Amino acid sequence: MDSVRAWLRDAFRWPVVRRALVTSLVVGTLLTVINHADYFMALRLDSDLALPVLLTYLIPYAVATVATVGANRSSPPRDSAATAAPRDRE
């Protein structure tokens, strides 16, 4: 149960959420245009289209979140001394 909590904590960190939102907006918009262009061109925007369009944005968000958390958890932790900016030498 602790691993699920840790995974969810990681999934809701702002950098992960931001990356998933950007991915969802780009991919979801492209897929919506590709898959539902006929509805938009005919101006047939009805409630039957709401769920498919919502899922078109939610699926890329979920995939990006799972991929980012998985990549973050599988990479070794950064050494703060190695990633810190070098100090000016006198």
Side-chain angles (χ1 to χ4, degrees), residues 70-85:
N72 288 346
R73 295 178 129 236
S74 68
S75 64
R78 292 184 186 181
D79 180 17
S80 59
T83 59

Side-chain angles (χ1 to χ4, degrees), residues 4-43:
V4 172
R5 284 189 191 138
W7 193 94
L8 289 172
R9 183 188 65 236
D10 292 345
F12 285 105
R13 291 179 193 239
W14 175 241
V16 175
V17 171
R18 182 179 61 223
R19 177 175 292 203
L21 283 173
V22 169
T23 301
S24 176
L25 286 174
V26 172
V27 174
T29 300
L30 289 172
L31 290 174
T32 298
V33 169
I34 291 168
N35 293 329
H36 307 292
D38 53 336
Y39 286 97
F40 294 122
M41 297 298 268
L43 297 176

